[in-house]
Amino acid sequence: MKKLLFVLCFLWVGAFAAEQKKDLDFELYDMGDKLYNTKAIRAAAGVKLLAVDFFSIHCEPCKKALPAWSTLYKEYKAKGLEVILVVLPVEDDREKELQKIEFFFKNNPIPFALAYDKYKLTGKKFGVVTDKGSAQVPQGFLLDRDGKLIFQSEGHDKMFEKIKATLK
């Protein structure tokens, strides 16, 4: 009985450790049709922190945070910050949604990477999108240089504070 209990505890700890090491790297095309690879970005010289922010043009808090993201990025890029905004579609017509996204960012440019998660696969990988396809945004993640998740937030203020504290 003790052996069985030990084996079960060992398996549980192993499963927990595996979940903590979940691979959060992804590749998506940015709005310029260039492949954005998080592993390559993290490996670039000087990068210490990668902020991944999930976004929808239908999310008011997401849109309101863009100026703050832009300011933060400009201030902390030299200290090792990289940011990617991962846009999730809401409408079933993904091409129509893409046109709306392009129009929105043409009128609201940002100084960091922007990618369209057309099939919501990256959103599912991060747990932002459910199996039924609905998404919980805003939601952001901070990855260190090794790809380890060091922070997750459902709002922007705590994310900005963590970035500033980490890269001060």
Side-chain angles (χ1 to χ4, degrees):
M1 180 69 174
K2 286 183 180 180
K3 286 183 181 179
L4 178 62
L5 188 58
F6 175 77
V7 169
L8 289 174
C9 286
F10 182 77
L11 291 173
W12 181 80
V13 169
F16 180 77
E19 180 62 25
Q20 296 301 314
K21 294 180 181 180
K22 185 177 180 181
D23 179 17
L24 294 175
D25 282 319
F26 60 90
E27 292 181 335
L28 284 174
Y29 284 94
D30 67 13
M31 300 308 278
D33 225 15
K34 180 181 172 195
L35 188 64
Y36 184 93
N37 178 318
T38 55
K39 196 172 199 172
I41 295 299
R42 287 187 299 95
V47 175
K48 297 177 184 170
L49 203 57
L50 174 62
V52 180
D53 188 38
F54 286 89
F55 178 94
S56 168
I57 60 171
H58 305 280
C59 166
E60 289 305 316
C62 297
K63 293 189 286 188
K64 286 180 182 175
L66 286 178
W69 267 121
S70 294
T71 300
L72 188 77
Y73 178 72
K74 290 173 186 174
E75 184 177 343
Y76 285 88
K77 180 173 177 40
K79 294 180 180 182
L81 177 64
E82 278 300 328
V83 177
I84 181 165
L85 199 66
V86 179
V87 183
L88 298 168
V90 173
E91 295 185 18
D92 289 335
D93 185 342
R94 291 181 181 97
E95 292 307 315
K96 185 177 178 183
E97 184 81 354
L98 178 58
Q99 290 172 354
K100 289 179 181 180
I101 292 165
E102 289 171 337
F103 179 79
F104 177 82
F105 283 102
K106 181 178 180 182
N107 294 308
N108 300 282
I110 55 174
F112 46 85
L114 170 68
Y116 180 44
D117 191 6
K118 186 175 184 175
Y119 298 105
K120 301 181 185 178
L121 298 177
T122 301
K124 286 179 183 176
K125 184 175 196 172
F126 278 79
V128 174
V129 177
T130 67
D131 290 337
K132 294 182 180 180
S134 62
Q136 174 73 31
V137 290
Q139 213 169 134
F141 301 81
L142 291 179
L143 306 177
D144 68 9
R145 185 166 177 77
D146 298 320
K148 179 182 169 194
L149 177 65
I150 61 169
F151 190 75
Q152 177 179 353
S153 178
E154 291 184 5
H156 293 102
D157 292 340
K158 289 181 182 178
M159 177 74 83
F160 297 155
E161 290 171 16
K162 181 66 173 177
I163 290 168
K164 290 175 184 179
T166 303
L167 296 176
K168 62 180 175 180

